[in-house]
Amino acid sequence: MRAVCLGGGPAGLYFAISLKRRDLSHDVVVVERNGPDDTFGWGVVLSDETLDNLKANDPESAELIRSEFVYWDDIAVHYRNSVVTSTGHGFCGIGRKRLLSILQDRARALGVQLQFETEAKDLEAYRDFDLIVAADGVNSRVRTSHADIFQPDIDVRACKYVWLGTNQKFDDAFTFIFEETEYGWIWAHAYQFDADTATFIIECSQATWTRAGFDRMGIDETIAACEKIFARNLGGHRLMSNTRHLRGSAWLNFNRVLCERWSYRNIVLLGDAAATAHFSVGSGSKLAMESAIALAGYLHTESSMEAAFTRYEDERRLEVLRLQSAARNSTEWFENVERYLHLDPVQFNYSLLTRSQRISHENLRQRDSTWLAKAEKWFEKKATGLTPQVNHAPMFVPFRVRGIELKNRVVVSPMAQYRAVEGNPNDWHFVHYAERAKGGAGLVFTEMTCVSPEGRITPGCTGLYRDEHEKAWKRIVNFVHAETDAKIAIQLGHSGAKGSTQLGWETMDAPLAADNWEVIGPSPVPWSPGNQVPREMNRSDMDRVRDDYVRAAQMAVRAGFDWLELHYAHGYLMSSFITPLTNIRTDRYGGSLENRMLFPLEVFNAVRAVWPENKPISVRISANDWVGPNGITPQDAVAISRMLVVAGVDLIDVSAGQTSTQAKPVYGRMFQTPFSDRIRNEAGVATLAVGNIYEPDHVNSILMAGRADLVCLARPHLANPYWTLHAAADLGYEGAIWPKPYLAGRDQLHRLKARAEVMTGKV
Ligand SMILES: Cc1cc2nc3c(=O)[nH]c(=O)nc-3n(C[C@H](O)[C@H](O)[C@H](O)COP(=O)(O)OP(=O)(O)OC[C@H]3O[C@@H](n4cnc5c(N)ncnc54)[C@H](O)[C@@H]3O)c2cc1C
Ligand SMILES: Cc1cc2nc3c(=O)[nH]c(=O)nc-3n(C[C@H](O)[C@H](O)[C@H](O)COP(=O)(O)O)c2cc1C
C-alpha cells in the first residue's frame, strides 16, 4: 500500500510507524510543513497505561519513550498563600520535541520517508496514494476543505491560554498556581518534562485577558508580563516560547473538535484533526497515538479499507466521547474557576482534583489517604466547630440550619406515592415514611403535598387542607420523632396546569379519563396539546392560592414538621410563573424574571410569616428548562436563587426540567449537580443536590467538593429505605443509630461484611 500522512505530529508519525510495523513493504510518506525541530508546545503528559499500549504496538519506540519519562506522583496547588499537596496521582511526562524526535528516528529506521518543510495544500497532489491520512492537527486543512462531509463540530472554549516553558524546576509535583491580579485571576499548569525544562501553560478568562492588555501584546511582552505575575514561583527563571516561528498571537482558545464522519473515500482523519481533548486532562497525544494503532491494526485485519475505517471510527469514537465528557467537566471547572476561589484551600484543592468527575472520594482515599483524612477532618470541624477524634465521611457530618440539626447529610427526596384518597395520607404513607425515617437518612421529605383539592396533581396526591389531613400527617410526624432521630420535612405545592392528571404509573401528566377539574395557571398555556388549557389566574385567584399555602403551612406547624419546602419546580404552578415558557402575562406578574418571581416570592413571604422562626424553609427549583436560551437557564437559576435568598429562603433544592415537553435534558451520573454547584458557589446559599446520585461515593464527593450541603436520593430510597444504614456499614461508620429491635440485623450485616472483606483480600 502507498500511504501518505499529512502532518508529522504524534498522530502522523505514530501511524506511519504502526503501519510499517505491520508490513514493511508498505510505502509510507509523512509530509510535515515545519522543520524536524520546530515544533510548538513543551512537555506532554502520558501514563504508564498508555505506554503499555505503545509497547505492545512497537516495543522499540516505547522503550525509548519510557527511558525519557519524568515521573511525579504529587499534585501541588498554590492558592492564596498556601500550598496544598496530595500524592498518589502517578503521572509521567516527556518533552514534545523529544517525543517527536524519537518517533521521527524510529519512522526513518522503518523506512518511512519524511518530508519536512513541505506544506500539504492540494489533495490532488496525493492522488497516487492508496491511503491519505489527515493528521494535520486541530486546524486540519483537509477537514476544513471537506467540511460538508466530515461535518466538524468545533466548540471554541472560553479561556485564553499560552503554552510556555521554563527552566524553573517543578520536579516534585504537577503544580497549579492561581494568582490574583488587578485584572482578575490568572493561573498556570506547570510540570517537569526533562531534567532542565518544565511546561508552563498560562490560562485566564477572556475578560481578564483583555483587561490585562494581552490582546495588544506580542509574545515578548506577554512573557514579560507573565514573568511578573508568576515571579514568586519562577525563582528568577525566564519563561520561554517556542512559537516565534508562528504568525499571530501566542494566546489561543482551546477548540474542542468532534466530527460526524471520520473518513471519505481513501481519506481518513486522525488525531486532533478528528477529535481533541482539553489539555487539562492531558490526553490529546495519547488519544492520537492510540487511534493510530487502531487504524493501522484495522487496515490489516479488515477485508477492505472501508470496513477498516468503520471499525476504527466505531472503536475510537467511543473512547473520544468518554474522554471528551471528562474533559468538558474539567474545562468548565477552569472556565468557572473564579466561582471557587472563595473556597478554603482544602476544599478548593478537592474541587480541583475531582473536577472531571472521574476521580471520586474513594479514589482519592486510595491515592492519598493521609491527605483525604485531613480534608475530612477539616470538613467536619468547619461544620461542627469541633476537631473530630475519629474521621467521618462527609455524608455523616451533621448539618445545622436555624434551630434544626440533621444528624447526617443524606435526604430522602420528595416522591409522590399516588396512594391518597381525597388528599388523605393513610396506612400506606404511614408505613412508607416510617420506614424511610428508620432507614438512617438525616431528613425525610414528604411527597408534594397539595394546598387545595384543585391543587393536586392526581386524585392520589396527598393534601394539607383539611383537619383530617393534619391529623394523619401529625401521626406520621409523631412516629418519626418518637422512634427515630430523623427529621421530617413537608413539601407543599400546587399543580397548576399539570393538575387533574393520571397516577404516576398510568399515563403520567395525561388528563384524567373522567371527572377532570378546572386547572389554573399564569397564562392559558397547556402542558401539552392533549392537556387542558389552564384558566389564566386573576388577582383573586392569586390571593386564594397564597392563602391556601398559608393555611397548609399553619397546619404543618401544628402537625409538628421540622422543615418546610415549597415546590417551585417541575412545571407546577409556581414553576409555571417562573419560566417564560408558560408565563406570557402582560401584567406585573409576567415579562422580566423579576416580574415572574413576584407571585412566588409573595407566597414565600406569606408562608415564612407563619412558619416558626427556628425552622428552615427550602425551595425546590428547576434550574434548567433544557430548552436553551428561551427558557430558564442555569444562569437564570442563580438569579432566581439570589432573589429567594434575599427574601429569606434557607436552602435551594436544585432540581431541573419537567417544565416543557420540548426539553432536551442531558442525563448522566449526578447530572443536575453542576447546577447546585453553580448556585451554591455563585449565589452563596446552601443547596440540596439531586438527580441520579446513587452511591455513597457520589454523596461524599459532592459534599466534600462544596457542590452541595445536602444530597437528596429519590429512587435509591424506593429500592432500599435503609440506604443510609447500609452506606454506614459499607464505610465502617459506627455512629449510625439502628432501631433497637433491629440490632441483631445490624450485627449480622457487619459480620457478613467483615467476612466478605477478608475473603476478597480487602483486609
Ligand atoms: C497547551 C496544550 C497542552 C497539551 N498538553 C498535552 C499533554 O500534556 N498530553 C497530551 O497527551 N496531549 C497534550 N496536548 C494535546 C496534544 O498536543 C495534541 O493532542 C497532539 O499533539 C495531537 O497530535 P496530532 O499529531 O494529531 O496533531 P499535532 O501535534 O498538532 O500535529 C499536527 C502536525 O501537522 C502539521 N501540519 C498541519 N497542517 C499541515 C499542512 N497543511 N501541511 C503539512 N503539515 C501540516 C503541523 O505542523 C503539526 O506538526 C496539549 C495541547 C495543548 C494545546
Ligand atoms: C416516584 C417519584 C415521585 C416523585 N415525586 C416528586 C415530588 O412529589 N416532588 C418533587 O419535588 N420531586 C418528585 N420526584 C423527583 C425526585 O424527588 C427526584 O428529584 C428525582 O427522582 C431524581 O432523583 P433520583 O435520581 O435520586 O431518583 C419524584 C420522583 C419519583 C421517582
Side-chain angles (χ1 to χ4, degrees):
M1 182 195 306
R2 288 201 72 211
V4 62
C5 301
L6 306 181
L13 288 169
Y14 204 65
F15 174 76
I17 292 169
S18 305
L19 200 66
K20 278 292 216 180
R21 281 279 307 167
R22 280 160 181 79
D23 188 344
L24 279 173
S25 71
H26 291 311
D27 182 3
V28 186
V29 180
V30 173
V31 177
E32 166 57 47
R33 72 166 156 222
N34 291 328
D37 292 330
D38 289 342
T39 189
F40 68 91
W42 296 86
V44 292
V45 181
L46 294 171
S47 66
D48 272 331
E49 183 206 349
T50 305
L51 240 273
D52 289 342
N53 296 338
L54 301 189
K55 191 172 172 186
N57 182 60
D58 181 43
E60 285 82 349
S61 55
E63 270 323 308
L64 273 174
I65 294 171
R66 194 189 293 281
S67 70
E68 304 257 348
F69 262 168
V70 175
Y71 284 88
W72 66 100
D73 238 8
D74 294 3
I75 294 183
V77 181
H78 295 240
Y79 159 64
R80 291 198 190 282
N81 298 320
S82 75
V83 185
V84 179
T85 304
S86 56
T87 193
H89 303 290
F91 295 102
C92 31
I94 181 169
R96 181 177 155 96
K97 246 187 198 175
R98 186 67 196 116
L99 173 69
L100 291 185
S101 122
I102 290 172
L103 298 182
Q104 288 165 7
D105 289 348
R106 177 67 181 143
R108 260 191 224 101
L110 288 166
V112 175
Q113 209 188 314
L114 302 179
Q115 293 178 2
F116 289 104
E117 293 173 356
T118 311
E119 175 93 27
K121 287 193 180 125
D122 189 356
L123 282 183
E124 263 304 291
Y126 305 100
R127 66 170 176 271
D128 292 344
F129 286 89
D130 305 310
L131 171 68
I132 300 176
V133 180
D136 48 350
V138 62
N139 298 315
S140 169
R141 181 195 284 250
V142 177
R143 188 189 66 220
T144 312
S145 64
H146 290 76
D148 51 332
I149 289 156
F150 297 121
Q151 296 178 51
D153 168 14
I154 300 176
D155 183 7
V156 181
R157 303 305 312 198
C159 286
K160 286 283 180 186
Y161 75 89
V162 58
W163 198 354
L164 302 173
T166 178
N167 295 129
Q168 166 67 327
K169 288 254 184 296
F170 289 99
D171 51 359
D172 52 350
F174 191 115
T175 304
F176 293 101
I177 306 161
F178 294 83
E179 286 291 349
E180 190 168 23
T181 71
E182 58 189 298
Y183 314 108
W185 285 85
I186 302 184
W187 56 95
H189 314 230
Y191 53 92
Q192 201 74 26
F193 64 82
D194 66 25
D196 307 316
T197 336
T199 293
F200 203 85
I201 303 168
I202 299 173
E203 206 183 0
C204 63
S205 71
Q206 178 95 25
T208 300
W209 185 73
T210 315
R211 277 196 297 267
F214 285 126
D215 53 341
R216 298 184 298 277
M217 290 183 201
I219 184 65
D220 293 326
E221 283 169 286
T222 285
I223 284 183
C226 290
E227 281 171 352
K228 249 197 206 152
I229 293 168
F230 293 101
R232 299 198 274 182
N233 295 92
L234 287 172
H237 289 277
R238 307 293 318 264
L239 289 173
M240 305 178 283
S241 164
N242 58 10
T243 52
R244 285 201 165 76
H245 61 289
L246 300 179
R247 273 171 291 126
S249 168
W251 290 90
L252 297 169
N253 289 75
F254 182 81
N255 285 349
R256 199 276 291 124
V257 175
L258 184 63
C259 295
E260 192 58 37
R261 281 188 61 185
W262 293 20
S263 63
Y264 169 59
R265 294 190 183 151
N266 66 337
I267 307 168
V268 62
L269 302 180
L270 184 65
D272 276 7
T276 57
H278 191 255
F279 55 83
S280 63
V281 293
S283 300
S285 308
K286 157 196 156 74
L287 214 54
M289 291 165 84
E290 290 177 346
S291 291
I293 298 174
L295 180 59
Y298 288 130
L299 283 166
H300 280 85
T301 55
E302 299 306 300
S303 55
S304 67
M305 191 175 281
E306 197 186 346
F309 286 172
T310 306
R311 291 290 304 274
Y312 155 72
E313 183 177 329
D314 285 353
E315 180 200 306
R316 297 308 296 168
R317 182 185 290 279
L318 254 187
E319 185 61 19
V320 161
L321 289 177
R322 206 179 56 78
L323 201 72
Q324 284 192 344
S325 159
R328 187 189 55 236
N329 293 333
S330 175
T331 312
E332 285 178 0
W333 190 91
F334 281 105
E335 286 173 353
N336 296 302
V337 72
E338 302 196 16
R339 184 189 294 161
Y340 307 109
L341 287 162
H342 68 280
L343 295 176
D344 179 279
V346 175
Q347 194 159 42
F348 181 77
N349 191 50
Y350 187 99
S351 175
L352 188 153
L353 294 176
T354 56
R355 68 190 182 279
S356 72
Q357 294 198 11
R358 280 194 303 190
I359 297 176
S360 70
H361 200 70
E362 294 309 315
N363 293 148
L364 278 181
R365 198 187 303 285
Q366 278 170 2
R367 288 170 186 229
D368 189 346
S369 56
T370 313
W371 183 80
L372 193 77
K374 265 197 233 151
E376 285 183 344
K377 278 213 166 71
W378 168 86
F379 186 88
E380 185 157 353
K381 179 156 191 232
K382 184 156 185 281
T384 62
L386 304 169
T387 306
Q389 297 306 310
V390 185
N391 253 52
H392 300 130
M395 65 188 269
F396 295 115
V397 171
F399 177 78
R400 175 168 276 282
V401 52
R402 294 199 186 233
I404 297 294
E405 180 166 289
L406 305 182
K407 63 182 167 178
N408 63 46
R409 292 169 185 245
V410 182
V411 177
V412 177
S413 200
M415 279 180 289
Q417 296 297 297
Y418 309 107
R419 273 284 189 240
V421 178
E422 307 255 314
N424 221 358
N426 51 38
D427 284 355
W428 174 269
H429 302 89
F430 184 87
V431 173
H432 172 75
Y433 291 114
E435 278 301 286
R436 269 90 206 143
K438 285 191 289 175
L443 181 67
V444 177
F445 271 106
T446 70
E447 62 207 275
M448 171 167 134
T449 296
C450 308
V451 296
S452 60
E454 63 283 359
R456 288 174 304 159
I457 310 167
T458 74
C461 289
T462 51
L464 194 44
Y465 47 86
R466 285 197 200 145
D467 291 344
E468 56 185 314
H469 300 161
E470 182 184 318
K471 230 165 103 190
W473 280 121
K474 191 173 169 59
R475 180 166 167 254
I476 295 170
V477 172
N478 285 348
F479 175 87
V480 172
H481 288 162
E483 296 288 355
T484 81
D485 54 358
K487 300 284 187 243
I488 180 160
I490 179 106
Q491 188 190 51
L492 292 180
H494 186 299
S495 54
K498 288 174 92 174
S500 190
T501 52
Q502 300 180 23
L503 307 186
W505 50 84
E506 297 172 351
T507 310
M508 199 157 166
D509 296 328
L512 297 172
D515 300 328
N516 280 286
W517 61 84
E518 181 192 52
V519 299
I520 53 171
S523 306
V525 180
W527 166 245
S528 82
N531 285 71
Q532 282 188 68
V533 177
R535 181 171 61 74
E536 179 173 317
M537 289 169 72
N538 56 32
R539 188 55 241 190
S540 67
D541 293 317
M542 291 163 132
D543 290 345
R544 201 182 58 253
V545 167
R546 182 201 55 217
D547 295 347
D548 287 345
Y549 267 96
V550 169
R551 181 187 55 208
Q554 286 167 327
M555 288 181 162
V557 177
R558 289 194 295 269
F561 281 102
D562 303 297
W563 182 303
L564 188 149
E565 174 159 290
L566 295 175
H567 194 346
Y568 284 10
H570 301 170
Y572 299 117
L573 185 64
M574 293 300 152
S575 159
S576 68
F577 266 88
I578 298 172
T579 169
L581 301 173
T582 41
N583 181 345
I584 52 171
R585 295 177 78 98
T586 50
D587 64 3
R588 59 193 291 255
Y589 300 102
S592 66
L593 179 60
E594 285 70 21
N595 286 3
R596 301 194 310 268
M597 284 295 290
L598 270 184
F599 184 54
L601 285 170
E602 179 184 329
V603 169
F604 167 76
N605 288 328
V607 167
R608 184 68 260 183
V610 298
W611 185 247
E613 195 48 42
N614 65 340
K615 293 186 180 179
I617 301 186
S618 56
V619 173
R620 178 168 269 206
I621 62 167
S622 283
N624 192 349
D625 284 340
W626 299 112
V627 297
N630 292 337
I632 293 295
T633 62
Q635 190 178 342
D636 295 327
V638 175
I640 292 167
S641 304
R642 287 201 171 110
M643 288 184 231
L644 292 168
V645 170
V646 168
V649 168
D650 298 298
L651 295 99
I652 308 294
D653 184 352
V654 187
S655 186
Q658 297 175 56
T659 51
S660 164
T661 52
Q662 305 302 309
K664 292 199 167 45
V666 181
Y667 293 115
R669 210 160 33 103
M670 304 185 264
F671 71 114
Q672 294 171 163
T673 300
F675 310 137
S676 164
D677 179 348
R678 181 160 183 184
I679 288 171
R680 181 177 191 273
N681 292 304
E682 286 187 19
V685 57
T687 60
L688 298 100
V690 67
N692 217 12
I693 301 165
Y694 46 87
E695 286 180 6
D697 210 16
H698 301 160
V699 178
N700 286 325
S701 305
I702 291 169
L703 294 169
M704 189 68 227
R707 299 191 172 107
D709 298 270
L710 298 173
V711 178
C712 299
L713 293 88
R715 290 165 298 171
H717 277 118
L718 291 183
N720 179 7
Y722 297 90
W723 188 92
T724 308
L725 291 181
H726 282 265
D730 286 343
L731 296 174
Y733 174 62
E734 309 257 306
I737 298 181
W738 285 62
K740 283 202 181 72
Y742 297 175
L743 290 181
R746 176 198 67 184
D747 295 345
Q748 186 192 42
L749 182 69
H750 286 175
R751 264 198 312 277
L752 292 175
K753 283 202 186 295
R755 197 179 299 160
E757 283 183 4
V758 172
M759 308 256 291
T760 53
K762 274 198 193 160
V763 288

